[in-house]
């Protein structure tokens, strides 16, 4: 898996958009960018993933730069429940299945009331 | 639809003992992965099971072994426990023909004294 670099922590005001950056400058052509988050004392939760196109689902949007060396996860209207550690992971698929994930230390996002 | 379940929730063992942790995957999922999460760190991939075989393995010693049953449930066994094995053990399930996202259980907190 390609190495990813994320800020250690970030603050965001409740109701505002939270933009979480991730650098993956050594990403390979077959590696997808995945985002997970982990709320305190719970297992990680899948958020979104993409290969090279921008993606959006009910939880978030993922913007991947054209050279694929970095990406941004956007939570459009952050709430207090979005306070969590967010992990950016670059990993290939194997025949459509999910490979073992390499988690870093992630970004601790704190939503301020 | 039940998500991923793990048992037990908490466990205390003595150094040198053996432990077995259990995981039931999300309904319809056929692949199970195990992760170890030390305090303050991101989860570390132990191994992945598919079709009752170990398909991938992370950098963990042979003291860590597993099994997958015909109903896709899985066990993680750790022999000769060390103090450093104290951690949250997470199970994740996925669909081999899916889009690659993994669904995590709440974890088993293992304390080795």
């Amino acid at each position: 898996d390609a190495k990813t670099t994320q800020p250690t922590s970030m603050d965001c005001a409740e109701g505002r958009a939270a933009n979480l950056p991730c650098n993956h400058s050594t990403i390979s052509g077959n590696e997808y960018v995945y985002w997970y988050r982990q709320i305190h004392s719970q297992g990680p939760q899948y958020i979104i993933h993409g290969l090279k196109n921008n993606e959006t689902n009910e939880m978030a949007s993922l913007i991947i730069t054209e050279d694929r060396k970095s990406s941004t996860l956007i939570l459009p209207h952050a709430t207090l429940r979005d306070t969590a550690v967010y992990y950016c992971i670059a990993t290939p698929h194997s025949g459509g299945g999910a490979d073992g994930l390499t988690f870093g230390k992630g970004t601790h996002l704190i939503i301020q009331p | 639809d039940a998500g991923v379940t793990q048992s037990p929730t908490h466990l205390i063992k003595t150094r040198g003992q053996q432990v077995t942790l259990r995981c039931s995957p999300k309904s319809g999922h056929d692949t199970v992965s195990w992760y170890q999460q030390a305090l303050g760190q991101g989860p570390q991939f132990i191994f992945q099971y598919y079709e009752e075989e170990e398909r991938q393995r992370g950098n963990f010693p042979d003291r860590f072994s597993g099994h997958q049953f015909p109903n896709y449930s899985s066990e993680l066994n750790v022999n000769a426990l060390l103090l450093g094995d104290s951690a949250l053990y997470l199970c994740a399930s996925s669909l081999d023909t899916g889009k690659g996202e993994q669904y995590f259980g709440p974890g088993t907190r293992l304390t080795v004294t």
Side-chain angles (χ1 to χ4, degrees), chain A residues 3 18 21-23 25 46-48 61 64-65 69 74 79-80 84 109 113:
Chain A
K3 178 178 168 55
C22 179
N23 181 285
S25 58
Y46 165 81
I47 302 174
I48 198 168
S61 294
I64 303 174
T65 58
K69 292 185 176 182
I74 302 172
T79 71
L80 297 178
L109 176 66

Side-chain angles (χ1 to χ4, degrees), chain A residues 1 91 98-104, chain B residues 31-37 42-49 54-61 64 76 89-90 92 94 102 104:
Chain A
D1 295 359
T91 186
D99 283 3
L101 300 173
T102 301
F103 288 83
Chain B
T31 303
V32 173
S33 303
W34 285 92
Y35 294 82
Q36 179 196 67
Q37 186 172 25
Q44 300 299 305
F45 173 65
I46 303 175
F47 43 54
Q48 184 181 90
Y49 275 83
E54 184 184 290
R55 177 162 70 177
Q56 279 187 310
R57 190 178 183 92
N59 188 25
F60 278 80
F64 290 78
L76 164 66
Y89 287 85
L90 295 158
S94 55
Q102 297 186 19
F104 285 79

Side-chain angles (χ1 to χ4, degrees), chain B residues 74-86:
Chain B
S74 177
E75 289 181 348
L76 164 66
N77 301 293
V78 186
N79 294 323
L81 284 167
L82 304 174
L83 296 179
D85 295 331
S86 295

Side-chain angles (χ1 to χ4, degrees), chain A residues 22-83:
Chain A
C22 179
N23 181 285
H24 32 79
S25 58
T26 61
I27 194 169
S28 301
N30 67 337
E31 288 185 310
Y32 289 70
V33 178
Y34 282 81
W35 284 83
Y36 285 78
R37 72 180 182 184
Q38 188 171 23
I39 296 169
H40 184 62
S41 298
Q42 297 182 21
Q45 176 190 23
Y46 165 81
I47 302 174
I48 198 168
H49 76 281
L51 183 62
K52 51 185 175 182
N53 297 322
N54 298 338
E55 302 287 344
T56 296
N57 63 19
E58 65 279 4
M59 289 183 68
S61 294
L62 173 60
I63 308 298
I64 303 174
T65 58
E66 192 169 343
D67 63 7
R68 302 210 325 122
K69 292 185 176 182
S70 65
S71 61
T72 301
L73 178 74
I74 302 172
L75 307 178
H77 305 287
T79 71
L80 297 178
R81 287 176 294 180
D82 291 322
T83 292

Side-chain angles (χ1 to χ4, degrees), chain B residues 17-101:
Chain B
Q17 286 187 318
Q18 178 263 344
V19 68
T20 297
L21 311 181
R22 295 176 175 82
C23 171
S24 291
K26 182 178 167 65
S27 179
H29 283 184
D30 55 12
T31 303
V32 173
S33 303
W34 285 92
Y35 294 82
Q36 179 196 67
Q37 186 172 25
L39 208 58
Q41 304 295 316
Q44 300 299 305
F45 173 65
I46 303 175
F47 43 54
Q48 184 181 90
Y49 275 83
Y50 172 67
E51 292 189 338
E52 303 179 49
E53 297 279 339
E54 184 184 290
R55 177 162 70 177
Q56 279 187 310
R57 190 178 183 92
N59 188 25
F60 278 80
D62 292 346
R63 297 187 299 109
F64 290 78
S65 63
H67 189 77
Q68 186 179 34
F69 298 94
N71 67 352
Y72 307 121
S73 68
S74 177
E75 289 181 348
L76 164 66
N77 301 293
V78 186
N79 294 323
L81 284 167
L82 304 174
L83 296 179
D85 295 331
S86 295
L88 180 68
Y89 287 85
L90 295 158
C91 168
S93 73
S94 55
L95 187 60
D96 183 62
T97 56
K99 298 178 183 178
E101 61 266 38

